[in-house]
Amino acid sequence: MRLSVFITSNLDSILRDWVAFAGKQLPAARDMDHVALLDHGRTILEEIVVNMDRIEGEAERKTKSEGTSQEASTSANVPSRSHARQRERQGFEIGQMVAEYRALRATVLRLWQAAHPQLRDQDLEDMVRFNEAIDQALAESVDVFVEEVDRARDLFLGMMGHDLRGPLSTIASCAAIGLRQRPDDSRHALLTLRSVAQMKALLNDLMEYTARRLGRGIAIAPAPMLLDEFVRNTLDEINAVYPERTLAVQNHGDMQGQWDRTRLHQALSNLVFNAVKYADSALPIEIVIDGSRQDEVQLTVYSAGKPIAPHLLPRLFDPLVREPRDGDSDASQHPLAGANLGLGLYVVREIALAHGGSVNVVSQGANTAFTLSLPRVPPTGGA
């Protein structure tokens, strides 16, 4: 009996083993009934049989084994994809779902061998086709399972970041009141405001990152502004929580343009906070605004200190990339100094791109310079 015919004729016995195995996947399966444990098992097997019986050339077999088959359906309703989404929602781990396919493969071949002990040439071909079909279903399930886990995580992080903003604003308001009431004893209030500023920056970066992963990207609302005035106002805010640091501004040329004030504030703050974190605290951080070009303005943050490792430079603006440095462990001078999600420079790049611009870094010797290049008028749409 051909393997595909055997599977069709023995679906019920194969699926009994499927359900029995799924029921052992704890804790997710502890309170699941037969229907939930069976899930898409029947349709997965039926799809595998169709796959096995389809005429297939050598080229298709090769691409299927490499996971690049052009014949495989891209529909979200393919049984293996639906099964992955359901198992993720039922609380299965990815390893438990993969184990289901391993058990299914073993069950089918064990039962078939018991009923059909003498192998013929065509049986070997059937086994190859069956394994190919199982592997394809497994690959589809794993891809969708990972997507579901990533999406759930991103939604959670986005909601957490949003919900934490309220309590942080309350803490900042209380610290600001304390600072006004006791200006001669401002140390603790300044420490609180500094921590709040760092935490807000981290949450803003986290929300931008999750929004990007969820497909929303960074939207901007450009409006006319003077860049030098904007930069000084932003640095005044940073100096309020880091009064011991010297932030110097130089500018020349035309400072007018259209940019998103909120996004630009986030990008500049990230660059300056990065310099505060890593640069030599005894030396000033310099911000130079070059408005000499007709269609573009460049904003550069210069700092001196330990250079960035050369191997990190090509991917410094990628998400979740950070370089441990000596100052990371020093929380006594700067609370949250070590709090770094590795998203700040990634967000700077995304904000630059949303404006139709770019950001780059040069780090040589003791000097590091981050340059944000912005068109005076962003492209239409700006995202």
Side-chain angles (χ1 to χ4, degrees), residues 107-234:
T107 296
V108 169
L109 294 178
R110 174 176 53 80
L111 293 176
W112 184 52
Q113 185 179 21
H116 190 67
Q118 298 298 320
L119 291 180
R120 298 165 295 179
D121 289 344
Q122 68 179 22
D123 295 332
L124 293 175
E125 174 71 13
D126 286 351
M127 290 176 63
V128 170
R129 293 295 301 273
F130 172 69
N131 281 309
E132 287 177 346
I134 284 282
D135 290 342
Q136 180 175 314
L138 175 57
E140 291 168 346
S141 285
V142 168
D143 286 346
V144 171
F145 194 99
V146 171
E147 288 174 4
E148 289 294 308
V149 170
D150 286 349
R151 181 172 177 81
R153 178 198 61 206
D154 292 339
L155 287 171
F156 168 77
L157 291 175
M159 289 186 291
M160 180 187 70
H162 180 271
D163 291 346
L164 285 176
R165 281 178 163 179
L168 275 181
S169 296
T170 301
I171 294 170
S173 298
C174 291
I177 292 172
L179 187 60
R180 288 196 298 270
Q181 292 177 342
R182 294 182 295 276
D184 296 332
D185 184 20
S186 61
R187 183 170 64 91
H188 292 97
L190 283 173
L191 288 175
T192 301
L193 288 172
R194 179 177 296 173
S195 297
V196 168
Q198 287 277 18
M199 291 174 71
K200 279 188 173 180
L202 292 174
L203 289 176
N204 287 339
D205 293 345
L206 179 62
M207 293 184 69
E208 299 294 4
Y209 174 68
T210 54
R212 187 72 173 178
R213 285 179 56 84
L214 290 169
R216 293 197 293 268
I218 292 183
I220 62 171
M225 57 187 285
L226 292 174
L227 193 56
D228 56 337
E229 177 183 313
F230 162 81
V231 168
R232 286 186 170 85
N233 290 337
T234 300

Side-chain angles (χ1 to χ4, degrees), residues 23 34 37-38 41 65 91 133 143 178 203 214 221 236 268 282 308 322 367:
H34 179 277
L37 292 170
L38 177 62
S65 68
D143 286 346
L203 289 176
L214 290 169
D236 285 343
L268 177 58
I308 300 170
R322 65 185 298 268
N367 299 311

Side-chain angles (χ1 to χ4, degrees), residues 53-74:
D53 289 341
R54 188 173 61 234
I55 297 175
E56 183 177 85
E58 189 62 32
E60 167 61 11
R61 294 184 63 172
K62 182 176 185 298
T63 57
K64 184 187 293 185
S65 68
E66 295 170 348
T68 58
S69 172
Q70 299 299 311
E71 300 296 325
S73 172
T74 58

